[in-house]
Amino acid sequence: MPFGDKPLRTFALVIALPAFLIYVTMAALVIGGLFAMAGEIDRNDDERTTEIVHAALDSFLAALSDAVADEGTWDEAYLSAVVAPDPAWLDGTWGSTARAGQSYDNVLVTDSQGLIVFGENNQGGLTGNIGALFPAASAMLNELDGAIAQSGDGATRSYFTADAIGITGLAAISIHRATAGEMTVSSATRRILWIARHLTPAVLADFSETFRVPALTAVAEPASEDSFAPIGDATGRLLGSIVWRAERPGSAALGHTLLIATTILIAIGLAMALGLAALRRALLRRADSSHAVLAAARNDPETGHLSRFGLLESLSEVLGRTPLPKDLSVAHMGVDNYHEVHQSHGPEIAEDLMRLIGQIIAREAGKDALLGRVAPDSFVIGTAGPTSVETIKRLADTIGDETGAPVTVGEVDIEPQLSIGIATGPGMAGLASLKSAEAAMREARASGDGSTVTYVMADEGARKERIETTSRLRTAIKENQFELEYQPIFDLRAETLIGVEALLRWRRSDGELEPPGFIATAEAAGLMSEIGLLALRRAAREIRPLKGLMLGFNVGASQFTHPAFVEQLSATLNAANFPKQRLQLEIEQTVLTGQPHRAEGIIDELRAEGIVLALDDFVVGQSSIQYLRQFKLDRIKLARSLVAGLDTDPTKFALMQTTINFARDGGLAITALGVERKEEAAQLLRLGCTEFQGFLFARPMSLDALTRLIMAPAKGELKQAG
């Protein structure tokens, strides 16, 4: 039965009015929700923009650190800025770059106290103390000094500071050689390279374009309507802020949604769907942009592995999953010949090599370990948990074996050279573990044999003891606490005293005589070169009056490879008026293996000076024979391990016979070390060795005792050479 007009109006009144009220209520709820969502989106967008701006500022400082590391880790720079300062070179190399203002717009070289020895920017030269130009520099100097003491000259520091122009990034490094195994530059001779770059409008515009954020401006005080990111210096002092006007994508999307909702009131449900879709698209676009920027900061663009920032973030997440303490183990793997490949074959081959090594490490490490490229020449893997120590050591051994064979990169055959440092310990923080592993890697690299060095938190006591010993050694140098003893060397066939070996002793402040066990600490602290020159000066002065007597003097790796070693040695001998042909420098095989080409050049210079060269503690083998063929040496000193038991071991006797015959054929003189028994001396004489040094003949003695021994020929006991 059809409805009439009245029932129809009644139906409309009863049904339409509630429906209208429902729509109005729904519309109010939806619009209120849209406003709330828009406000939340605006807040999230501003927080993400703040995070991205901080990431951009961190990337700016990281780029300055990388730039100062490249400029300061350079043999030519070390020679031209530290060993023999060359103002023309400094101006032509660094000054011109600063004036161009591309990578940096200020460059300075200071001593360890901050006194400027060279400075340049596009306004001209810079003088005085760097602290007067950049107030945060003094705090940076102190922090850099501590970092160098812990991890070596490769440490860098970068912070924001301010000068008369405005906010600027400042980075510093101790200028040092790029060659592996070089000793740390002493504080007295240290030269610090500083580079600075201002946060100019052009730099900030580049930030905006690169990181897809609103236009940025540097101001002293932000306005109330501005979003901002504060900037502090190394001392924590506020320098200013980077400000921007928020884009507020939620508000923009809301306006669009309300326009649609107002226009299409009849289809409010559709309008709500369209509005929600518009909001969702705006949020996703912004989220995708933020994710891309943060992903770029977290990952190395060349290999795709985590960056240093990303690795630290991931380590923090892993350590935060369960209550501390938790075992954490980190391996820092440095490719020793990366810079050599970069210089010889170009950056593309060097990066291809790093990608290949990264693939090998990723394959062996698996999904349970974190992998990051923390420097151009370094990777880090990290594991956590009860078995992390065993896992990281196993991975280090496996990866070391996997990368030990030559690989083909492009059309070039390259043999990767890895040094590995491991840090382990319960509850270690991510940053502390990375620094400890890097320090261990540098120690492994300094050994020159591609070894692995492990740092354990339990070793902290030993580390503090080394620091204390280093401090006492510095005092010993100032107070001249070192003494010398001399062990005679005899030619039995001629019944002649032909020379002595100078042996260093440390008369400590408590009166106790320290054996040579302190030498390893002195080498690691970079003090052995100074101690060695003091000892040589004294030995040359004391032995010079003993006519014809040869002086044997042992030199370690840090002394031998010092850039000014030959010049310092020659100057010391000349000052003592000691004939150079009476000096015999005794070097160990490790000196030759670390940097063979460098060692070969030094040996040629020493031979040209007339100095005799001996290979100390010689043990016959394929590698040691190769050294005798490669390097022009005058004498070998047979190790005690080869001499001991010579008369009772037929195999050792045959080995000794082969060694002596080989040395004779090569025109080398031979001295037997550590001879303690008459039977050993008799066998050596039978084999043709006549020069002996050992307790059987004489123990190390003072200069007075040596003089009395030389006077013995008056009683018919022995003769002195010459």
Side-chain angles (χ1 to χ4, degrees):
M1 176 179 173
F3 287 104
D5 290 342
K6 185 176 179 180
L8 199 59
R9 286 194 299 273
T10 302
F11 175 81
L13 183 63
V14 173
I15 301 299
L17 183 58
F20 175 76
L21 292 175
I22 291 172
Y23 272 124
V24 170
T25 303
M26 288 179 58
L29 291 173
V30 169
I31 291 173
L34 290 175
F35 274 104
M37 289 177 64
E40 184 65 20
I41 290 171
D42 289 340
R43 284 191 297 273
N44 289 339
D45 179 76
D46 204 35
E47 290 175 0
R48 290 191 185 92
T49 302
T50 301
E51 184 178 3
I52 292 170
V53 171
H54 280 298
L57 294 171
D58 289 343
S59 297
F60 180 78
L61 288 181
L64 279 181
S65 286
D66 290 342
V68 81
D70 287 342
E71 298 283 2
T73 309
W74 187 10
D75 291 355
E76 186 177 356
Y78 175 78
L79 293 174
S80 300
V82 180
V83 177
D86 185 350
W89 187 94
L90 296 175
D91 184 73
T93 303
W94 291 331
S96 60
T97 304
R99 289 190 293 272
Q102 295 298 317
S103 300
Y104 46 87
D105 51 30
N106 277 260
V107 62
L108 305 97
V109 177
T110 73
D111 63 12
S112 59
Q113 303 302 313
L115 183 64
I116 299 172
V117 297
F118 168 79
E120 188 69 22
N121 60 20
N122 60 6
Q123 302 297 316
L126 303 172
T127 58
N129 192 287
I130 190 171
L133 300 176
F134 303 104
S138 298
M140 290 177 64
L141 263 178
N142 292 333
E143 188 172 334
L144 180 64
D145 188 65
I148 291 172
Q150 180 178 9
S151 60
D153 286 325
T156 61
R157 283 296 179 269
S158 59
Y159 287 97
F160 285 107
T161 183
D163 62 5
I165 298 176
I167 299 174
T168 180
L170 183 64
I173 190 172
S174 172
I175 302 171
H176 61 284
R177 297 176 63 87
T179 311
E182 289 296 331
M183 60 175 240
T184 301
V185 181
S186 68
S187 178
T189 59
R190 185 177 299 157
R191 291 296 179 265
I192 310 299
L193 174 64
W194 305 77
I195 63 173
R197 189 179 186 190
H198 287 84
L199 287 179
T200 62
V203 171
L204 295 176
D206 185 62
F207 281 2
S208 300
E209 180 177 355
T210 302
F211 291 88
R212 301 179 186 176
V213 294
L216 304 175
T217 306
V219 299
E221 291 286 342
S224 59
E225 66 272 18
D226 287 333
S227 298
F228 67 97
I231 298 179
D233 66 9
T235 65
R237 184 173 67 91
L238 182 64
L239 302 173
S241 298
I242 301 298
V243 301
W244 63 92
R245 292 295 176 92
E247 293 181 345
R248 305 194 179 282
S251 298
L254 176 64
H256 180 63
T257 303
L258 288 176
L259 178 62
I260 295 174
T262 302
T263 305
I264 316 174
L265 290 176
I266 301 172
I268 191 170
L270 179 60
M272 287 172 20
L274 291 175
L276 290 172
L279 287 173
R280 181 175 179 275
R281 284 195 299 272
L283 182 61
L284 287 177
R285 281 196 301 269
R286 194 65 186 180
D288 288 344
S289 174
S290 300
H291 178 75
V293 172
L294 292 176
R298 292 188 181 105
N299 295 278
D300 172 54
E302 298 295 336
T303 63
H305 301 306
L306 292 172
S307 65
R308 186 182 183 90
F309 167 73
L311 185 64
L312 283 171
E313 185 180 62
S314 299
L315 285 174
S316 298
E317 291 176 359
V318 169
L319 291 174
R321 290 175 189 166
T322 58
L324 293 176
K326 173 189 281 188
D327 288 337
L328 175 66
S329 299
V330 171
H332 192 117
M333 303 180 176
V335 182
D336 300 343
N337 56 341
Y338 169 82
H339 293 289
E340 179 182 337
V341 172
H342 192 283
Q343 292 175 359
S344 302
H345 305 292
E348 292 185 1
I349 294 294
E351 287 306 315
D352 287 344
L353 174 64
M354 295 302 289
R355 276 190 286 271
L356 180 59
I357 293 175
Q359 292 169 5
I360 294 173
I361 296 174
R363 183 184 68 236
E364 297 300 331
K367 296 181 179 179
D368 294 332
L370 294 171
L371 169 60
R373 185 182 182 186
V374 297
D377 62 347
S378 301
F379 292 99
V380 164
I381 53 176
T383 63
T387 62
S388 65
V389 176
E390 294 79 7
T391 299
I392 207 72
K393 289 183 177 179
R394 175 182 56 78
L395 287 174
D397 291 340
T398 303
I399 292 167
D401 293 339
E402 285 289 322
T403 56
V407 296
T408 301
V409 182
E411 298 181 354
V412 180
D413 291 332
I414 299 172
E415 183 174 350
Q417 299 170 8
L418 257 68
S419 292
I420 303 175
I422 296 175
T424 65
M428 290 180 66
L431 182 59
S433 65
L434 256 63
K435 289 183 175 180
S436 298
E438 183 178 7
M441 185 277 293
R442 291 186 181 278
E443 185 175 343
R445 179 174 284 176
S447 69
D449 56 2
S451 60
T452 298
V453 172
T454 301
Y455 172 90
V456 183
M457 289 298 288
D459 293 340
E460 189 65 17
R463 186 183 72 85
K464 291 181 179 178
E465 183 178 349
R466 288 195 299 271
I467 292 174
E468 181 181 353
T469 302
T470 299
S471 177
R472 293 174 62 192
L473 281 170
R474 296 184 192 277
T475 302
I477 293 173
K478 294 178 181 177
E479 298 180 357
N480 195 21
Q481 296 176 4
F482 295 102
E483 299 179 1
L484 289 174
E485 290 185 338
Y486 300 98
Q487 186 170 27
I489 304 171
F490 298 94
D491 185 332
L492 288 194
R493 185 157 295 170
E495 297 182 356
T496 303
L497 173 64
I498 61 174
V500 293
E501 179 180 353
L503 301 172
L504 185 64
R505 301 290 186 262
W506 175 16
R507 180 71 66 182
R508 300 188 326 202
S509 56
D510 57 10
E512 184 176 344
L513 188 64
E514 181 81 9
F518 65 86
I519 289 179
T521 302
E523 286 272 10
L527 301 175
M528 202 57 226
S529 181
E530 185 175 359
I531 295 173
L533 286 174
L534 290 173
L536 178 60
R537 186 178 302 117
R538 179 170 179 175
R541 187 176 64 249
E542 292 180 347
I543 300 302
R544 181 179 58 81
L546 306 179
K547 302 297 185 182
L549 206 62
M550 178 166 285
L551 171 62
F553 194 83
N554 193 283
V555 291
S558 64
Q559 297 170 264
F560 193 76
T561 57
H562 190 281
F565 172 66
V566 177
E567 293 82 353
Q568 292 174 344
L569 177 70
S570 180
T572 300
L573 296 176
N574 290 337
N577 197 25
F578 188 86
K580 294 178 182 178
Q581 63 272 17
R582 287 177 57 193
L583 177 65
Q584 174 175 286
L585 287 184
E586 300 176 5
I587 57 179
E588 296 183 355
Q589 293 186 100
T590 54
V591 174
L592 306 179
T593 58
Q595 301 176 55
H597 296 299
R598 166 81 174 142
E600 197 167 4
I602 295 173
I603 287 173
D604 288 342
E605 290 184 59
L606 293 171
R607 287 179 63 86
E609 293 281 340
I611 295 170
V612 178
L613 295 160
L615 185 60
D616 202 10
D617 285 326
F618 179 80
V619 178
V620 70
Q622 187 62 39
S623 60
S624 53
I625 290 175
Q626 178 61 34
Y627 300 143
L628 296 182
R629 288 174 175 163
Q630 179 180 358
F631 300 100
K632 300 182 181 71
L633 303 173
D634 302 291
R635 173 178 272 104
I636 60 173
K637 300 188 75 173
L638 302 174
R640 169 62 187 162
S641 62
L642 196 61
V643 171
L646 175 67
D647 56 308
T648 60
D649 188 339
T651 301
K652 187 173 288 188
F653 181 85
L655 189 61
M656 180 67 78
Q657 186 175 36
T658 301
T659 303
I660 292 176
N661 289 338
F662 178 82
R664 280 178 171 174
D665 293 342
L668 296 170
I670 306 168
T671 302
L673 287 176
V675 182
E676 298 181 0
R677 299 169 52 246
K678 293 180 180 179
E679 293 80 3
E680 295 166 353
Q683 290 289 51
L684 287 164
L685 282 170
R686 188 173 296 114
L687 291 173
C689 177
T690 63
E691 296 181 10
F692 296 89
Q693 179 182 348
F695 288 177
L696 177 63
F697 305 99
R699 291 178 176 271
M701 60 186 66
S702 66
L703 179 64
D704 290 341
L706 177 64
T707 304
R708 289 195 298 271
L709 178 65
I710 292 175
M711 296 301 295
K715 301 179 181 180
E717 297 180 14
L718 61 82
K719 297 179 290 184
Q720 177 187 352

